[in-house]
Amino acid sequence: MNNEATIFSRHYCVFFEKTITTLQMENLLREFMMSIGRTLSSYGIILGHIKLLAKLSELAVDHYLFLSLTTLDNVNVIPSKCWPTVSGISIGCIELDVNVLVFGYTINEVEVQVDGALKKLGRGR
């Protein structure tokens, strides 16, 4: 087991096979976070944190969701002030900034988990 902190930070563009709503996207992002967290946790607690900034590519930069996970029973979701105004639109892609700081895992182990979660989410680039 790695006793050093591993820091993973990457930017992705995720394209969906079919357009989705903002509510569907929020649910998918919660599951994305949980998918990463399940394998990087110990007894439901992440020794560090997983953060995600999701921005709508089709709109201005102030339309985003910020998600944070430190325990598996609670994905914190903070929307931008204008997020509620986009609830009726269809989304074809999103931009993700994924940041993971975790103890006990190597960078390769974290990359494998993020890549697996991205494959479930959509087509990441």
Side-chain angles (χ1 to χ4, degrees):
M1 181 181 234
N2 182 10
N3 292 324
E4 299 292 318
T6 295
I7 301 170
F8 173 92
S9 183
R10 301 280 192 290
H11 178 84
Y12 300 95
C13 291
V14 176
F15 300 88
F16 300 107
E17 295 281 330
K18 298 178 182 177
T19 60
I20 61 172
T21 67
T22 53
L23 180 59
Q24 289 171 318
M25 185 185 75
E26 185 174 333
N27 290 333
L28 286 172
L29 292 176
R30 284 177 187 270
E31 181 52 39
F32 173 80
M33 297 286 284
M34 293 292 293
S35 179
I36 297 168
R38 276 187 208 101
T39 55
L40 300 179
S41 68
S42 177
Y43 300 103
I45 298 171
I46 297 164
L47 300 176
H49 62 254
I50 302 169
K51 308 279 185 184
L52 174 68
L53 179 62
K55 298 173 278 191
L56 297 183
S57 300
E58 293 97 346
L59 300 173
V61 293
D62 54 351
H63 292 81
Y64 65 84
L65 287 176
F66 177 73
L67 294 89
S68 177
L69 181 66
T70 55
T71 59
L72 290 183
D73 61 351
N74 188 21
V75 177
N76 293 318
V77 179
I78 301 170
S80 62
K81 288 182 182 180
C82 58
W83 185 259
T85 65
V86 296
S87 62
I89 69 164
S90 295
I91 300 167
C93 64
I94 56 172
E95 293 183 40
L96 301 179
D97 290 311
V98 180
N99 295 286
V100 178
L101 182 145
V102 66
F103 288 87
Y105 297 90
T106 66
I107 191 73
N108 289 338
E109 290 170 319
V110 174
E111 285 175 346
V112 166
Q113 297 312 313
V114 172
D115 287 346
L118 278 171
K119 287 177 185 172
K120 293 178 193 172
L121 183 62
R123 297 181 319 238
R125 291 187 192 162

